[in-house]
Every structure is written in C-alpha cells, then in structure tokens.
Amino acid sequence: MSSFQSFHLGLDVANRMCDAAISACIRNSFVPVTIVICDASAIPIVTKRMDGCAPVGIPQFAMAKAYTCIAMKMSSRMFRDKYTETNEPAKYMQMASMVNITHGQMAPFPGGVLLKLANGSVVGAIGVSGATSDQDEFLALQAAQVAFSEPGVAGTLLSDPANHRLEGAR
C-alpha cells in the first residue's frame, strides 16, 4: 500500500482539470457548460464558463453540485439516490430540507464528483452544469482524470462516482 497521504489541489491542477472538461465537452458536441473546482472546504479554486453557457443559474448549479459533494462526502448523484431510491416521502423531504437549510447551496442531481484519498480524506470536488446531468457527470470525471495523472497519485486518489453512465461519450 502506498504511503501517499496528501494531495494539494492547487490552481495549476484545477485549471488543467477545467480545461480537460471543456475539451471533452467540445469533443462530444455537448452544449456549453460551467465547471467549478473546489478545495476540501468547498471554496472555489477555479470556475470556467464556456462561451454560450448561460451566465445565470448554470454557474450556481455547478457550484451547488461541488458543494454537495463536500458537504455530504459523496457525489451529487449518490446524494439524490440515497434519499429517493426507496420512494419514501420522509426521506425525500429530508433531502429537500437539507437543500433548503443550506439556502439552496446543495444540488440533488448528477454532475458533482467528489475527490478523495484512498484513506477517505476529502481533497476537493468538481461541479459541472449546463448539459444533461449524465453529460455533466461525465465531464466532471474527465476533469478528475487530470488529478489522477499527477505524479505519485496513482491508486491513492479516488473519485465518487468512479465511472460514468453515459453511453458513447469519449
């Protein structure tokens, strides 16, 4: 097992992560998106909005997806699924109340990806919004691949979710 116990998600890596998501968005002919990379405290390091992406709403959705990952220590998809998969009204209301209590800072839909070390320590999060939620999540995972390629990180930096569900994306 690696002794790697830390990873600094800094400006250079965060910029390259955003650029990777933008490249994948263009390569797959998705509509323009906003990407937010946050540190472990849910403070944005980099926010990039592609030309043609709505300047109102979409950037806030991307931030909310990243914030959800940090607050709940899971992907925004997993947050939604945790409270909706059993169709229990009380669980759904709990999720809606959490969004309300945080004044709308949380987003219970896919597009937020958590970055953490194998030991469980949260490193940061990626939020993408503007395309479909599955496309947003795919782009966030493309951004995560940049962090995974940093020297000494292999096998110690993980994302939640680990894989995307989007068919045919490249």
Side-chain angles (χ1 to χ4, degrees):
M1 181 160 171
S2 172
S3 61
F4 187 79
Q5 295 295 314
S6 67
F7 172 77
H8 175 70
L9 183 55
L11 181 60
D12 178 57
V13 174
N15 257 319
R16 288 187 283 121
M17 291 169 71
C18 282
D19 291 345
I22 290 168
S23 292
C25 185
I26 293 167
R27 182 175 60 247
N28 285 284
S29 300
F30 298 161
V31 300
V33 298
T34 294
I35 305 103
V36 177
I37 311 291
C38 289
D39 66 15
S41 298
I43 305 299
I45 301 169
V46 173
T47 300
K48 291 189 179 184
R49 180 174 53 88
M50 294 175 67
D51 292 344
C53 181
V56 178
I58 300 300
Q60 291 84 0
F61 301 153
M63 179 60 209
K65 291 176 184 185
Y67 181 93
T68 299
C69 295
I70 300 294
M72 300 305 294
K73 300 196 179 0
M74 64 180 71
S75 72
S76 57
R77 178 188 296 272
M78 187 179 289
F79 172 60
R80 179 203 61 193
D81 292 351
K82 178 178 179 178
Y83 293 95
T84 61
E85 66 187 357
T86 60
N87 283 333
E88 295 176 53
K91 283 187 134 188
Y92 178 83
M93 290 308 301
Q94 182 181 2
M95 177 188 68
S97 294
M98 287 191 278
V99 171
N100 186 47
I101 289 166
T102 62
H103 303 283
Q105 290 187 75
M106 294 172 66
F109 35 87
V113 170
L114 182 68
L115 293 175
K116 60 186 176 181
L117 296 173
N119 68 9
S121 299
V122 173
V123 172
I126 307 156
V128 179
S129 194
T132 69
S133 58
D134 285 341
Q135 290 170 346
D136 291 344
E137 185 177 77
F138 170 79
L139 296 173
L141 286 166
Q142 293 297 295
Q145 292 302 315
V146 171
F148 297 158
S149 69
E150 286 297 292
V153 173
T156 60
L157 187 61
L158 310 170
S159 66
D160 173 22
N163 300 301
H164 68 88
R165 301 177 181 199
L166 191 60
E167 296 288 327
R170 47 191 172 82

